[in-house]
Amino acid sequence: MTHILTVTRRAGIAVIAGAALVLLSACGGGVQGAASSSPAAGTSTAQIMQAPALPGAQSISSRDRVYTADQTSNTVTVINPATNEVLGTIPLGAQRLGDTLGPQYLRDVDVHGLGFSRDGQYLDAVSVTTNTVTVIRTADNSIVSQTNVGRSSHEGFFSPDGQTVWVADRALSQLDIVDALHGGVIGHVNTDAGPSKVLFSPDGRKAYVNHLRSATIDVIDVTARKVVDRITGLADSFSSDMALSPDGHELWAAHKKAGKVSVIDVPGRRVTAVVDSGAGTNHPAFVSTPQAGYVYLTVGGTDETKVYQRNGHEPPGLIGTIQSSGVEPHGIWPSPDNTRVYIVNEHSDSVDVIDTADRSLIKTLRVGQEGQALVYVANAVPTGTGSEHLTRQGLDQPVENAEIKVDGPGEAHLTVRAVDGLDMIEIEGQGLTPNTRYTASVDDAGEPVPLLSFTTDPAGTKPQALAYVQFLGVHDIHAVTVTPSIG
């Protein structure tokens, strides 16, 4: 396979800052790459770093945890990175369908986003359908608080002081500020349209927000809780995810629909390069070594993670790709020592553990169903096993994937999962005829059995078509065809 990197330069741009050593005080630090305020006993504060971090951070420890947000099983999977062992799941709701459609259902639906406090003591999980922010104590996996926030909440992160969670409401033009320990919305920040994610600067003074309906990055004064600057000129108005370098100088805003990334010089407040990364561009992650700085970028459309080198005066260069063991790599996060990268495969319910020294696959772990976000939290369990309140919900469930036949132009991918009640079938289509009704049918002894119908958008895509049928053990996934509906 040939991979082509296209980078455009903007006139009058500032130089992209490379990674530099940042000195951290004992009482603060960067948001990811921060010195912890509550280290394990016998460990100095400056030794506990959260990723992404510059070279010199502590090694992977059995006190650390990796978490995935599992949208279909409504769980958070908990992994010990020292042993690459899946310890279990934290259930926040029932599996999709099942009880979730009932009028008396009261729990979370579509666990999707993750964030954590700088000291590693707390995790926040955002459920996008019930608009719920759940704060979890990492030491024992217990729920500390739950808060209902604005419409279509997506990603949230703890403020530098660990007291609040700032959550982006995609359907609105605001962030909600949640009291992490006691629950409840205690404030708002007005933003550009459709905020998607919040990240904080290393010194904790600024917050950065990308959007789904604006080609901008909002720069927020954390103390004043208001937008004080706005970075314009991004490659596309739809940016679902982003990452900030550990020195706070560079931000990568991923544009999933456009298949591009805007590379931003944060101090200069300008876009310095646009990378043509590929269809289904998902999450970036910064990896820093003594030799060079890199960005690992998950690209769902080609089932791979692309690795770019940050080149200081020059645009980033593509230096390699890592083929996923599964389908649709999505969330990604490095270990603080930059030796490992963890990637969740959304349609395969798995996590790939990557060795950054040679970009090889170390192990693939089965996790909860339909993983979205993934985070690595250092010093999450200072003492004990950290196995309290864990279940097996969502683990080791059957899942099948296939590229299915399309009658006419375009392509379609089918995922089938076992869930409570009926199997969930999910189709993603692209390159199809625009504004057209399609029916997916499975061949059963020569007779087509309709499974579901959907209509493409003006671009000929269908990001997600869902239905629930009895499928696994009954039908062959390779016998499914997508055909334009007649009439």
Side-chain angles (χ1 to χ4, degrees), residues 272-284:
T272 60
V274 174
V275 177
D276 284 339
S277 47
T281 292
N282 277 318
H283 291 202

Side-chain angles (χ1 to χ4, degrees), residues 210-272:
N210 61 342
H211 304 87
L212 294 189
R213 301 194 304 277
S214 176
T216 60
I217 299 291
D218 285 332
V219 182
I220 298 171
D221 183 301
V222 173
T223 300
R225 295 183 177 179
K226 67 177 182 179
V227 174
V228 294
D229 207 347
R230 188 159 280 149
I231 302 169
T232 61
L234 274 65
D236 191 69
S237 60
F238 187 102
S239 174
S240 56
D241 199 79
M242 62 178 177
L244 182 67
S245 64
D247 59 15
H249 291 173
E250 188 172 304
L251 188 149
W252 283 44
H255 305 293
K256 186 182 183 79
K257 292 183 177 180
K260 300 178 184 291
V261 178
S262 296
V263 180
I264 298 164
D265 168 29
V266 176
R269 300 287 195 262
R270 64 189 70 190
V271 175
T272 60

